[in-house]
């Protein structure tokens, strides 16, 4: 019926030739609210909801009244509710609307990794009450996943997978897949195990379907299929998981037995969280923040780096104080200090971002790292030279026309600023590349070399370069002090 309606709409408003405008999309949220809030019979509501994705239904949960949600809990099965709950961010609020037995049935129907996430959000008493009502097999899976550290592959895996012995025939394997599919719906890839239960390889469902029923299963097993170990750090193998682009990848214990699988959805979530953590560190946060956090929690995340940067800033101020004799004789230099510092900090942060992205590649050789270092320094040099030429011209004219200084003295000052820009930007590119490389070498997350940290270090570099150059060239070599104004 839906396809028919779409066809009718298309017939009424045929697309124009070379019309690249995007048609208006259906408002699923509005449609769902109308269905759920209607007075239609329960069976008809349930039938209509099967046409929508679980994520779309989850998106309207917050707009429903508690009475509407209770109606859904009654209409939909535990499996259907569990699929919807897996897409909710604040699922604990909705679990609180259910009695303990209903909540246990729903969480029991979830994939084990989703069930772990939900239970972690509940109060201890509520969690223990629900776990006591769940069946032993579900609890065993939850306890296994919970036993792994937060940042390990094991904590991300699901036990929703299908495996068959490698000594089966195709006919036997197909029967086993059908039997297991009632409980496990990740069936696009089937995993083969030997007599000891060790992982032997994988079979694509399509290959199994088109194989001859009498054919030996070993003939269609891909034995070189990728896998990961449950105890591996997710950050260490995330790039490898992305490269394979498989629907799921088996997770093994130390005896190569399959414990679970990590799905493409899990990988996307892990990549998103890893990027969020790196972004937070680049911003000088200890952890990622979200809008629902309290002020106190946000302060705790931001304050540690701010304290460190406060003392680093005091260090920069102390270094500026060492050049007070230069400032006394050439006070006009102070006016351009912020420009030098800002440009050095910006360049260093850019190099840091590029370096962190490149360091994700675990196969990065020393020669490639040196190539990156040389490239970043070249980029800093070229950008610095271009900005130096602009500074020389514009600042020289500005000082002459607006501050009424002689041309020679004006261009000496603007030249000092220009050369300082070149040197500071080259060194800042070097610092922004070398520091994350050093952190990576000693197995510290290079994102810890956050933007504020690199900026502060480059402020120190820029101050030394700027005032040091002024002291050596303008004071020691040229012996100028306060620029002289031209005669009126």
């Amino acid at each position: 019926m839906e396809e028919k309606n779409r066809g009718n709409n298309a017939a009424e408003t045929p697309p124009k030739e070379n019309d690249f405008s995007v048609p208006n999309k259906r408002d699923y949220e509005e449609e769902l609210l109308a269905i759920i809030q209607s007075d239609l019979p329960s069976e008809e509501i349930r039938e209509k909801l099967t046409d929508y994705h679980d994520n779309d239904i989850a998106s309207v949960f917050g707009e429903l009244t508690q009475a509407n949600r209770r109606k859904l809990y009654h209409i939909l099965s535990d499996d259907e509710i569990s699929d919807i709950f897996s897409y909710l961010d604040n699922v604990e609020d909705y679990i609180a609307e259910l009695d303990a037995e209903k909540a246990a049935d729903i969480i029991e129907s979830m994939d084990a990794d989703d069930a772990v996430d939900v239970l972690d959000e509940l109060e201890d008493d509520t969690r223990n009450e629900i776990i006591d009502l769940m069946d032993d097999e579900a609890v065993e899976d939850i306890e296994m996943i919970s036993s792994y550290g937060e940042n390990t592959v094991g904590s991300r895996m699901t036990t929703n997978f299908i495996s068959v012995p490698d000594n089966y025939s195709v006919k036997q394997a197909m029967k086993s897949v059908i039997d297991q599919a009632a409980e496990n719906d990740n069936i696009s890839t089937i995993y083969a195990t030997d007599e000891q239960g060790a992982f032997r390889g994988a079979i694509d469902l399509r290959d199994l379907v088109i194989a001859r029923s009498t054919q030996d299963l070993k003939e269609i097993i891909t034995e070189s299929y990728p896998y990961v170990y449950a105890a591996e750090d997710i950050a260490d193998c995330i790039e490898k998981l992305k490269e394979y682009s498989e629907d799921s990848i088996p997770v093994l214990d130390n005896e190569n037995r399959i414990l679970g699988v990590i799905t493409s959805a899990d990988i996307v979530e892990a990549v998103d969280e890893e990027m969020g953590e790196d972004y937070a560190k680049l911003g000088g946060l200890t952890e990622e923040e979200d809008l629902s956090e309290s002020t106190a929690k946000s302060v705790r995340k931001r304050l540690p780096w701010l304290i460190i940067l406060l003392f680093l800033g005091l260090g920069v101020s102390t270094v500026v104080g060492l050049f007070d004799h230069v400032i006394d004789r050439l006070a006009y230099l102070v006016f351009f200090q912020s420009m030098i510092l800002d440009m050095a900090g910006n360049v260093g942060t850019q190099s840091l971002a590029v370096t962190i992205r490149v360091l994700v590649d675990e196969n990065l050789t020393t020669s490639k790292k040196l190539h990156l270092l040389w490239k970043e320094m070249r980029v800093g040099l070229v950008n610095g030279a271009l900005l130096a030429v602009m500074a020389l011209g514009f600042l020289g004219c500005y000082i002459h026309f607006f501050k009424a200084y002689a041309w020679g003295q004006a261009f000496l000052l603007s030249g000092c600023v220009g050369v300082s820009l070149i040197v500071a930007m080259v060194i800042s590119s070097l610092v922004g590349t070398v520091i994350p490389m050093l952190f990576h070498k000693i197995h510290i997350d290079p994102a810890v070399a956050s933007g504020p940290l690199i900026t502060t270090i480059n402020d120190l570099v820029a101050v030394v370069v700027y005032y040091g150059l002024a002291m050596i060239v303008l004071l020691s070599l040229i012996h100028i002090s306060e620029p002289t104004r031209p005669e009126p």
Side-chain angles (χ1 to χ4, degrees), residues 422-469:
I422 296 176
V423 178
M425 289 176 70
V426 171
I427 296 177
S428 295
S429 298
L430 176 67
V431 171
T433 307
V434 169
I435 287 183
M437 283 184 177
L438 290 175
F439 277 37
H440 186 261
K441 184 70 174 177
I442 59 178
H443 305 293
I444 296 177
D445 189 347
V448 172
S450 65
L453 175 60
I454 290 292
T455 301
T456 305
I457 293 174
N458 285 335
D459 283 350
L460 186 62
V461 170
V463 163
V464 172
V465 169
Y466 184 42
Y467 288 116
L469 188 65

Side-chain angles (χ1 to χ4, degrees), residues 146-298:
S146 299
S147 67
Y148 289 97
E150 183 180 357
N151 297 318
T152 61
V153 175
S155 68
R156 301 276 185 173
M157 68 182 176
T158 176
T159 54
N160 182 354
F161 69 96
I162 293 176
S163 65
V164 295
D166 65 347
N167 57 3
Y168 271 16
S169 66
V170 167
K171 183 177 181 180
Q172 290 174 310
M174 182 60 76
K175 183 179 183 304
S176 179
V177 169
I178 293 172
D179 292 340
Q180 294 180 64
E183 296 294 331
N184 302 292
D185 54 10
N186 285 333
I187 63 172
S188 58
T189 303
I190 298 101
Y191 300 103
T193 58
D194 63 16
E195 295 178 357
Q196 287 73 42
F199 175 64
R200 294 289 299 163
I203 307 159
D204 189 278
L205 179 61
R206 177 182 177 278
D207 294 336
L208 183 63
V209 170
I210 65 176
R212 298 188 308 274
S213 61
T214 56
Q215 190 174 356
D216 190 355
L217 192 65
K218 290 182 179 178
E219 296 178 21
I220 60 173
I221 294 175
T222 302
E223 296 186 352
S224 59
Y225 197 82
Y227 60 88
V228 290
Y229 286 104
E232 283 189 80
D233 193 305
I234 191 74
D236 294 338
C237 59
I238 199 167
E239 284 301 309
K240 183 173 73 173
L241 296 176
K242 284 166 54 182
E243 288 171 1
Y244 285 113
S245 300
E246 297 291 346
D247 291 334
S248 62
I249 292 177
V251 180
L252 314 181
D253 64 11
N254 292 343
E255 282 73 44
N256 288 339
R257 294 187 298 260
I258 303 180
L259 298 175
V261 297
I262 184 165
T263 66
S264 56
D266 297 325
I267 295 170
V268 169
E269 184 179 349
V271 170
D272 181 62
E273 290 185 9
E274 191 71 20
M275 290 176 64
E277 289 174 5
D278 284 349
Y279 182 81
K281 290 172 183 175
L282 284 169
L285 305 176
T286 56
E287 297 177 63
E288 191 177 1
E289 288 188 22
D290 59 50
L291 291 174
S292 62
E293 285 183 356
S294 65
T295 301
K297 192 171 183 180
S298 294

